[in-house]
Amino acid sequence: MMTRRKWLLFTLLVVGVSQGVTADLEEINDSPEGKTSFHSPNTEEEEVPTGARMVVEQTHFPREEVSQDSEGGGEGSSEEPSLLDVTGTEDLPTEPVDAEEKQKALQRVVGGTADGEPCFFPYLFLGKEFTVCTTEGRGDGRLWCSTTYDYDRDKKWGFCETEDQAKLRRQAQEAEDLYQTAIKIINGTSKTSQKKEGYSILMKAAEMGHTKAMEKVAYAMLFGDYMTQNTHQARELFEKLLIEGSPKAQTGLGFLHAVGLGVNSSQAKALVYYTFGALGGNLIAHMILGYRYWGGIGVPQSCESALTHYRLVANHVASDISLTGGSVVQRIRLLDEVENPGVASGMLEEDLIQYYQFLAEKGDVQAQVGLGQLHLHGGRGVEQNHERAFEYFNQAANAGNTHAMAFLGKMYSEGSDSLPQNNETAMQYFKKAADLGNPVGQSGLGMAYLYGRGVPVNYDMALKYFQKAAEQGWVDGQLQLGTMYYNGIGVKRDYKQALKYFNLASQAGHILAFYNLAQMHATGTGVMRSCHTAVELFKNVCERGHWSERMMTAYSHYKEGEADLAVVQYLLLAEQGYEVAQSNVAFILDQGEAKLFSENETFPRALLHWNRAAAQGYTVARIKLGDYHFYGYGTDVDYETAVIHYRLASEQQHNAQAMFNLGYMHEKGLGIKQDIHLAKRFYDMAAEASPDAQVPVFLALCKLGLVYSLQYLQEMNVSVRNAQELMSQIDLDQLLGPEWDLYLMTIIALLLGTVIAYRQRQHQGVPRPAAPQRPQGEQREPEQ
């Protein structure tokens, strides 16, 4: 019995002690030190809050309600029960103590006239009540508080922070001010000198320990953006930021280990850093992991894992895209520019742009509309500029151009920094253009009626105008018709019709059409579920994110002769899965223009990126792989592997170069059995596949015929001397007839006539110069 009593007393004692400890811990957690966060509440545009609600199972459509949900998918967007909701109210005290008052009462001052005493909130100072520590009344900026209610009467006070804490706080505030100043300068100008000034200010903030400034400076040093390229200092900054758990720094270190810049290449370490960067919400890290799981690079190939990463990034890219389809991503292959210099790269020459500007100034309406669209969307070497776009559209609209009216309506409907959003004005322009049969205006009216922008919502009218626009092939009309059929807005829900219109819109390259198709294939809505198709579509959407602008930056660096700057930027894009960037990296390394890597590393790295580009369907990269194995660049000479790559390019893409190479390898017996007949067959196929291959094929066939003749003579064991004796013994009159020389002359004459006729036809195709006009005085008078 005594044992039971002792046990009960011991239990009560433990419960009492635990309640006391819990109370002490609650007081510590309520203090400012326990609640301080060292992370900015503002997330970077490349990062997603880890607690964000991402509805990836639903299809995203460009409706205002949906976009608002997407943008509001932050930490406070999901309605989850709080701890207070889970805990029953019967355990709460009858007279709850205000947590804020409890926190303030526990804050104890340092120095002053009341050292060690708690702050008293609120307190009275110069006739004004304060509920927090203040710097008023002091010139050094240190926070202080009163320990009694009436400071003016009692003069009891102390500092809320130590001198070191105050110094750190002021330094942090100074760094934040420098950061904001630098960002304002960088984003507010396009001049290189001013941007460099902004980055120099950013460097000062980084030296003071500002996290975001350190991140931007690290990447600027890595890519050489308005700062001297220094991969070693970039790595050091990334490692410092790693201690604070920066997702951007983790992604940056993953990139350095993946490509071996400043560190030994390690795909295992790269994967770890990329994974932590993705867990921290970095979108580029998610995109890199999506590509790695899709291609099985350093990880087991997994379509579902790739789908998860790509869909998360695509959700954010699609939510930032306006209904115009987003900016144009210019993808320029450096190899194509070298091998086909006459083929346009898609870039507009400065002289051509100036010529169009001259025409626009002279009142050419088509030039005005073209320049307006060019500045509205950007691309082809022209930066996006809504102010210039508005000016050109306004000039053309005043001249009566319906396209310009409709595009002005779109600009007013969406709004921008240079043009405030105005539904009424947008409606006026749309109505003018639509009444004249313009599909852009009809689509704009459909949008107005669908979402009630300036007019009451009317689904029937929206459907009517979208159908009119879609019949004329306008992409926005097709996209919105697909949306209406998918959601059953104003029409009966019809997934087949939705799929039809989304496919039509995707043919015009609209990013939201790709996104909606990806969601349908990912969820099996209206189609058979296809993870592979969904991943490819989501990948297309992801590659239209704002980071794609680095593609043109890299191209500009390369054109300016800064190959090292270009190759690092292309390398990051290649890690993200951009096939054009992979082939450009391989090309720069193949040409030996980059000095970042040693000579013995150049060809193996180029081989790696040719391989990745070939895996994404780039035919020239597949041929390059065959060449590398044929000549032993970056690998051992392996004719059999070369044959495999040439055969893949020949069978899958019908490439003439691959067919010609296979013919040569059959002729020589390299990697495959020597077969002159198969060699001739591949040579003939190459000539049929491309007109450019006809001359090399003719020469190769001549050589092949000579080789075949020599082999035939060797097989008959006839030496040159025996051949001469044989020729002297042959009676041509007996073999070819008594008039064989006439036959030979006739054949030669026919061949000569064919050549002459062919030359004459060529001369007839050349335009003759116009006859010189007679002087004015020598012109004949018209007959009366």
Side-chain angles (χ1 to χ4, degrees), residues 519-595:
Q519 291 284 26
M520 294 184 75
H521 283 282
T523 57
T525 304
V527 291
M528 288 289 293
R529 186 181 187 275
S530 172
C531 177
H532 183 76
T533 304
V535 167
E536 289 188 339
L537 290 167
F538 275 134
K539 182 176 182 290
N540 196 324
V541 175
C542 294
E543 291 181 357
R544 296 283 290 275
H546 65 85
W547 39 80
S548 62
E549 297 171 1
R550 196 165 290 281
M551 190 81 73
M552 284 308 302
T553 306
Y555 177 76
S556 300
H557 283 309
Y558 181 77
K559 282 299 182 181
E560 293 169 1
E562 298 172 329
D564 286 345
L565 300 184
V567 78
V568 174
Q569 303 201 46
Y570 278 136
L571 277 169
L572 179 60
L573 293 168
E575 280 288 294
Q576 292 175 247
Y578 287 84
E579 178 268 311
V580 174
Q582 292 167 348
S583 62
N584 286 350
V585 167
F587 172 77
I588 294 174
L589 294 173
D590 182 84
Q591 299 296 307
E593 296 175 319
K595 307 302 180 185

Side-chain angles (χ1 to χ4, degrees), residues 281 341 511 778:
I511 187 171
E778 295 182 8

Side-chain angles (χ1 to χ4, degrees), residues 104-173:
K104 294 173 183 176
L106 287 172
Q107 185 168 349
R108 300 185 180 276
V109 300
V110 179
T113 60
D115 184 34
E117 295 184 14
C119 289
F120 188 93
F121 296 107
Y123 60 89
L124 194 65
F125 174 60
L126 298 179
K128 180 181 176 182
E129 280 194 349
F130 291 87
T131 57
V132 293
C133 296
T134 182
T135 59
E136 289 195 22
R138 297 196 60 83
D140 57 2
R142 289 187 66 180
L143 294 169
W144 68 277
C145 69
S146 175
T147 57
T148 62
Y149 173 73
D150 193 345
Y151 168 80
D152 298 328
R153 182 191 63 198
D154 302 327
K155 304 297 182 183
K156 293 288 187 180
W157 68 279
F159 293 110
C160 298
E161 56 189 355
T162 65
E163 188 172 353
D164 291 338
Q165 290 173 335
K167 184 179 180 181
L168 290 174
R169 180 178 55 80
R170 288 193 296 269
Q171 183 177 347
Q173 184 59 47

Side-chain angles (χ1 to χ4, degrees), residues 650-720:
S650 171
E651 294 175 355
Q652 295 177 1
Q653 285 93 17
H654 305 287
N655 185 270
Q657 179 68 53
M659 296 173 183
F660 186 90
N661 293 350
L662 282 172
Y664 179 81
M665 298 186 79
H666 274 293
E667 177 186 340
K668 296 294 183 181
L670 301 174
I672 45 180
K673 183 179 179 181
Q674 187 176 23
D675 190 327
I676 292 179
H677 300 288
L678 277 177
K680 183 179 184 303
R681 178 184 174 187
F682 277 108
Y683 284 143
D684 291 338
M685 289 171 60
E688 293 175 2
S690 173
D692 295 337
Q694 291 179 357
V695 173
V697 165
F698 173 76
L699 296 175
L701 288 175
C702 291
K703 175 189 172 186
L704 190 64
L706 179 62
V707 171
Y708 180 76
S709 301
L710 292 174
Q711 286 182 352
Y712 179 75
L713 291 175
Q714 289 175 357
E715 288 175 0
M716 294 179 64
N717 294 321
V718 179
S719 64
V720 176

